[in-house]
Amino acid sequence: MSTINKNATQIVATVVSNKRVGQYHQLIINIGELAALCKPGNFVAINVGGENSRMILRRAFAISRVSTNTISGGTLELIVAPHGQGSRWLCSQSEGSTLDIVVPLGTAFGIPTEPVQALLVGGGYGSAPLFGLAEVLNAKGCRVDMLLGASTASKIYAPMEGKRAVNSLRIYTEDGSMGQSGRVTEPIKALIEDMNIAVIYSCGPMAMLSAIDAITRGTHVVHQCAVEESMACGIGICMTCVLPVADESGNIFMLRSCIDGPVMDGSFVQWDKVGEVL
Amino acid sequence: MSTINKNATQIVATVVSNKRVGQYHQLIINIGELAALCKPGNFVAINVGGENSRMILRRAFAISRVSTNTISGGTLELIVAPHGQGSRWLCSQSEGSTLDIVVPLGTAFGIPTEPVQALLVGGGYGSAPLFGLAEVLNAKGCRVDMLLGASTASKIYAPMEGKRAVNSLRIYTEDGSMGQSGRVTEPIKALIEDMNIAVIYSCGPMAMLSAIDAITRGTHVVHQCAVEESMACGIGICMTCVLPVADESGNIFMLRSCIDGPVMDGSFVQWDKVGEVL
Amino acid sequence: MTVLDFSTTLGNAWFPAPTFTASGCASSGRELAQFFDLKDMGAVVTKSVMMKARTGRPTPRMAETPSGMLNSIGLQGPGIDAFLAKDIPYLVEQKARVIVSIAGETIEEYSTLARKLRSVSGISAIEVNISCPNVENRGLVFACDPEASRRVIDGVRRTIGGELPIIAKLSPDVTDLVAIARGVVDSGADGLALINTVLGMVINLDTMRPHLGGKTGGLSGPAIRPVAVRAIYQVHAAMPQTPILGMGGVSSGRDALEMIAAGASGVSIGTASFGNPTAIMTIQNELKDLIIAKGFTSLRQVIGYAHRPDEAKDE
Amino acid sequence: MTVLDFSTTLGNAWFPAPTFTASGCASSGRELAQFFDLKDMGAVVTKSVMMKARTGRPTPRMAETPSGMLNSIGLQGPGIDAFLAKDIPYLVEQKARVIVSIAGETIEEYSTLARKLRSVSGISAIEVNISCPNVENRGLVFACDPEASRRVIDGVRRTIGGELPIIAKLSPDVTDLVAIARGVVDSGADGLALINTVLGMVINLDTMRPHLGGKTGGLSGPAIRPVAVRAIYQVHAAMPQTPILGMGGVSSGRDALEMIAAGASGVSIGTASFGNPTAIMTIQNELKDLIIAKGFTSLRQVIGYAHRPDEAKDE
Ligand SMILES: Cc1cc2nc3c(=O)[nH]c(=O)nc-3n(C[C@H](O)[C@H](O)[C@H](O)COP(=O)(O)OP(=O)(O)OC[C@H]3O[C@@H](n4cnc5c(N)ncnc54)[C@H](O)[C@@H]3O)c2cc1C
Ligand SMILES: Cc1cc2nc3c(=O)[nH]c(=O)nc-3n(C[C@H](O)[C@H](O)[C@H](O)COP(=O)(O)OP(=O)(O)OC[C@H]3O[C@@H](n4cnc5c(N)ncnc54)[C@H](O)[C@@H]3O)c2cc1C
Ligand SMILES: Cc1cc2nc3c(=O)[nH]c(=O)nc-3n(C[C@H](O)[C@H](O)[C@H](O)COP(=O)(O)O)c2cc1C
Ligand SMILES: Cc1cc2nc3c(=O)[nH]c(=O)nc-3n(C[C@H](O)[C@H](O)[C@H](O)COP(=O)(O)O)c2cc1C
Ligand code: FES
Ligand code: FES
């Protein structure tokens, strides 16, 4: 049993700002002292739709970055794609409105103790938590290269200030509207071989994570991926968000991606069995 | 079958203003040319809670007054008591927000063809439609006396400008915090006898309407009351809002208060059978 | 531009669109005609009519619940004779397609009602409401008893002859819906209407008593949609040849599409009209657009689509 | 200041408050302990445990619906031995009251589970989940079959002896809930848990297939509350002496009060905790305040209050 949610707190937080960035919304939310407890990879769970909402479940969003030395207290940043009713509602919340939010939740990316070479791979809004991670890795003396991919330019999230912590950044779009044309996973194999990559951190669609796993399988590269499964509770009590994960001896368990994840060791996830009965 | 909803239209209308008046909210809503079709006694049905609302039914509100010569187009006024979730939501809508509204609905107060003496009796927010009615009666040359009652002062709605069309206005509160102490129905018997009242128009709680009926029964005074029954549809299709009403020959029918009302001849309503099986 | 064949059939009855009113949620049609043209939708399903005029249940007759409502109307209505004299001619004059819903307190009464309808022109089908939970039949609802259900339909079938399609309207409040469905189809029903309301109750916390005059009521609206979709899916899986008129919480084109994919040939819209007088037309248009957007060329291709084996797992 | 006796009993088990978790909606308790102290609420009802470890149903396992959700977990769990070794000691250490929920695939399995629990200390009661619609038992759910329900409870009763109260958890998806309830009480159940989820389905309109990996799922949340209140009211009316643990969509103190007035001695909170980790404590406090505001001095006075004849019609 994990004890990772020991800092999780349910609070009412104020929206500090809400800006459109491409097809996403950047939300800055004041969470006061909790900001200091948030780590790259953690996520938040937010009530959506207001008081009379027919949406009864919270929505999960990765913490993109936190700021602890703001005048208004600690803040966190979310990058939200207007997907369905709930995320659209969130994207429509203006400065000053309040949100019922549980923060921080889930596992965080493991940070190497040595200054190793790290490759960060983000798909769509999956890039959001990678910039905060890059800062931490950078401070540890790691070399940080980043690959971002999406179907089209407006779905690439790559803020100016985020790039500071990154040694290189390459962008891939499927329609070629930004950066190189193609999938973000294509260059990985060559990069692993050319550079001395010790760890890949990835966040994005499950298909992307699974493709990266196929590439790293059999190599020495550690693959820490942030998975994204449908979550009803986000705090480990409902068992809806499970993924088949093997332990060291090869026994497969259905682990909760909200509490035993979202960051997991990609090599233990049984990608081909996701969505199957064991 | 009544054809009274022939002007009913579903529109998206803008809130022009929202002011607190005692325990109520005065909402002014721009309904454009439909304002010209609204008559005293008619009501509106409004969607509440916004897009993701778990409240699936419209809320009914009496049209307090209409204004056809405003710069912004025709407007109507509602006096809304924050009762439950839906009306509270409505009271929280600020200037510029839009409402999905069906207007005008239901029967209107019958206007005498001769300039007779009329007594208007309102309970709580029930006074709202009476001021618009008073203007119409006044224009017809009727003498208009008004009695307003409520449990306490903050539940009396009696706007300054409304009083212009009224020859006399007396206020009753049960706790004596405004006007005379007591129930609004107490002076009616004496008034009928002292003055040559031809018609009483009433709007307020069912108990008040029923009490007025008991007083007018056996007299020549016509009692036009606006009833208030729980309504699911407001347009005559659901049969939830029925009241037992006798026809001329004494046969009792369950009439829909939304479409065969809300204004009804009080002497035909079977007040003692409301809520009973026939 | 894609041309979509939006028509549907229930037994031998043809409808230009698959979107109907739900019985009891459109009165006799007149009230909605104020908001749109009745002939533009699939069909008007009239409020269940009984032999005699009925005043129904005491008020309060409704309670709003989260994403739903309870009703306890108790089949208030004018009785079959007044209905045939006044309501049918009006609907025919409007060129609306009409499905007449009937309800009885005895098996006999259903047959008598069917006899009254036999020679009436302008009716496309009969919906036999054997599932209204508000009518007392020694505490038992017809549709909860396989034997009684069968006998009602059998009686109606014999009386009506082979012309008018019979649609049996079932209650979801049963242990084995498929068994009831099989029974009524074996007895001569051409189609099934799924689902009637789910039995529910609300306690009024001011009086601390059941809120409705009739104590229990029928739950309808979006809250019950997953129950309706399940019922349609289960019955279509067991009896793919039997046309189903789906209903229960449909309030958008996507909801209607869900039911059609689950196996419904048509969809009735009830409670949504209370919140939105033009709901049926909006839903009809949204459904059409959705089906076209998905690349289908006829409604028929969509009926029961969710039962097909997955061709591509990566969809 | 009014002093309220907020305690309740289920059979011979006593609880300081009537607000419990719902089985399967609190895992083993640890996860919620992060948000409040487990000993502050009535009791933790643990996730239904089976003999062997189970991986459950394929994902997706949930779909949000209007004011509700579907789940199809399929009783994923560690099996009774691991559960007794790890989870019970933790809960006991937290000083939480514990109701253990058990589920079996055979009548035999239920008895075996009961035997395992017999000598475990720190358990207040056993909830026997015979109503989970996700487990295949040749397509039949125990709680939908009066005979099977009785036999399960009979087996558990014989095994467990007279000490631990047995609460039978029933499904609302039956034609005659009262008959099932009577059967299990006659077979030795001390109380009833009402209701388990309602069977439902959602079609995914992208894939045009059932959304859940397990196709159908159980509907829970506020959407089903009116169904739960009705079930509690009906069963309490028929069997006023049998304590009922009410559940289904409770998300506020007023919802809990509705169930208690309908006849529940205690209330379980499931889905509400997903939207709100502190829901149980909030509901517990709201309920207490409401009951005090209404002038009652003990919870017991409120249980089944809605069944009393109206003293004053003008209330
Ligand atoms: C750990 C985690 C981190 C995430 N981070 C981000 C992020 O940084 N930015 C962002 O835009 N989105 C993120 N998502 C996805 C986001 O949670 C969904 O887009 C959102 O829940 C959709 O809700 P909706 O009401 O708009 O859509 P609907 O489709 O209407 O939602 C219906 C239900 O399905 C669930 N659901 C639907 N899609 C997803 C999904 N992809 N993942 C999980 N649940 C889903 C919803 O929570 C809801 O319960 C993350 C999800 C997880 C699990
Ligand atoms: C013809 C008519 C005219 C009205 N005029 C006014 C007015 O001018 N000002 C005003 O403040 N209120 C008026 N009301 C009452 C108003 O409709 C209710 O206060 C409102 O519907 C309560 O909704 P809620 O969500 O706040 O309360 P809730 O109690 O949460 O509502 C639950 C359900 O019950 C119905 N309901 C509850 N109370 C009433 C009621 N008193 N009458 C009808 N339905 C009810 C609601 O419509 C809703 O469907 C009028 C009602 C009718 C029928
Ligand atoms: C107010 C009301 C009255 C109803 N009356 C009838 C009726 O007379 N006959 C019938 O077969 N069904 C009746 N129903 C059930 C509906 O036809 C429909 O089956 C059910 O409401 C589910 O659909 P919905 O959620 O779209 O309303 C009624 C429903 C409501 C809400
Ligand atoms: C995700 C989930 C898992 C559940 N698992 C169980 C279970 O293991 N055993 C059981 O008896 N009921 C289970 N239930 C049913 C609940 O205990 C409860 O009866 C039902 O959800 C209604 O209550 P609610 O609306 O408060 O959730 C589960 C419900 C949900 C939503
Ligand atoms: S989302 Fe509930 S256990 Fe993970
Ligand atoms: S409110 Fe529906 S008929 Fe009057």
Side-chain angles (χ1 to χ4, degrees), chain A residues 51-55 85, chain B residues 51-55 85 89:
Chain A
E51 216 191 337
N52 304 302
S53 179
R54 64 178 186 194
M55 295 182 284
Q85 293 290 313
Chain B
E51 219 191 337
N52 304 301
S53 178
R54 64 178 186 192
M55 296 181 283
Q85 294 289 313
W89 178 88

Side-chain angles (χ1 to χ4, degrees), chain C residues 3 8 33 40 62 70 72 87 96 100 117-118 120 138 145 186 191-192 199 207 214 234 239 247 257 312 314:
Chain C
V3 183
T8 195
D40 290 346
M62 75 102 178
L70 289 179
S72 138
D87 294 339
V100 174
L117 289 172
R118 198 164 43 182
V120 179
R138 275 148 277 129
D145 178 0
D186 289 349
L192 299 164
L199 198 61
T207 64
Q234 278 184 331
M239 309 160 69
M247 70 202 73
L257 183 57
D314 55 21

Side-chain angles (χ1 to χ4, degrees), chain D residues 54-310:
Chain D
R54 267 174 82 98
T55 48
R57 289 257 180 126
T59 53
R61 287 181 172 185
M62 75 102 174
E64 199 186 42
T65 67
S67 298
M69 67 171 280
L70 289 180
N71 87 79
S72 138
I73 309 296
L75 294 178
Q76 175 177 347
I80 185 79
D81 293 332
F83 170 79
L84 290 178
K86 282 203 274 177
D87 294 339
I88 293 293
Y90 170 81
L91 291 169
V92 168
E93 193 189 311
Q94 302 299 306
K95 299 194 170 56
R97 268 95 21 211
V98 182
I99 297 177
V100 174
S101 169
I102 58 171
E105 285 183 306
T106 60
I107 292 171
E108 184 68 41
E109 188 175 344
Y110 281 99
S111 299
T112 318
L113 285 161
R115 188 165 310 118
K116 296 246 179 199
L117 290 172
R118 199 165 43 183
S119 53
V120 178
S121 63
I123 301 179
S124 297
I126 298 187
E127 193 176 270
V128 186
N129 173 13
I130 52 169
S131 49
C132 183
N134 289 343
V135 176
E136 284 113 26
N137 173 35
R138 275 148 277 130
L140 239 176
V141 169
F142 285 103
C144 291
D145 177 0
E147 182 53 28
S149 306
R150 270 196 297 266
R151 287 178 55 206
V152 168
I153 299 302
D154 186 61
V156 172
R157 178 81 286 165
R158 281 167 201 274
T159 317
I160 211 82
E163 296 136 60
L164 274 184
I166 297 175
I167 301 162
K169 184 160 177 181
L170 306 185
S171 163
D173 292 328
V174 294
T175 309
D176 189 350
L177 182 61
V178 170
I180 308 263
R182 271 196 220 284
V184 295
V185 170
D186 288 348
S187 306
D190 303 280
L192 300 164
L194 301 172
I195 56 175
N196 211 315
T197 54
V198 180
L199 197 62
M201 180 185 274
V202 159
I203 308 289
N204 178 328
L205 293 183
D206 293 329
T207 64
M208 289 289 280
R209 296 291 184 288
H211 177 80
L212 298 175
K215 289 191 181 173
T216 58
L219 184 62
S220 64
I224 67 165
R225 200 176 64 226
V227 179
V229 172
R230 181 264 298 174
I232 294 163
Y233 188 93
Q234 278 183 331
V235 172
H236 186 77
M239 310 159 68
Q241 304 311 326
T242 305
I244 295 172
L245 181 55
M247 69 201 72
V250 173
S251 19
S252 69
R254 72 154 299 294
D255 300 347
L257 183 56
E258 231 191 295
M259 291 202 172
I260 292 167
S265 295
V267 169
S268 273
I269 290 123
T271 306
S273 293
F274 302 168
N276 212 335
T278 53
I280 295 173
M281 292 316 292
T282 310
I283 293 167
Q284 184 168 301
N285 293 333
E286 287 174 355
L287 175 64
K288 198 175 200 167
D289 292 348
L290 262 172
I291 292 178
I292 291 173
K294 291 199 174 284
F296 295 101
T297 54
S298 86
L299 178 84
R300 239 148 310 172
Q301 295 161 352
V302 192
I303 299 170
Y305 195 93
H307 294 264
R308 300 201 194 163
D310 272 330

Side-chain angles (χ1 to χ4, degrees), chain C residues 29 90 157 191:
Chain C
Y90 170 81
R157 178 83 284 165

Side-chain angles (χ1 to χ4, degrees), chain A residues 239-268:
Chain A
M239 297 294 194
T240 62
C241 63
V242 296
L243 275 181
V245 179
D247 67 6
E248 319 266 310
S249 358
N251 302 316
I252 299 171
F253 294 94
M254 290 302 250
L255 293 193
R256 291 163 293 183
S257 61
C258 67
I259 195 162
D260 303 310
V263 178
M264 291 182 164
D265 184 327
S267 66
F268 289 126

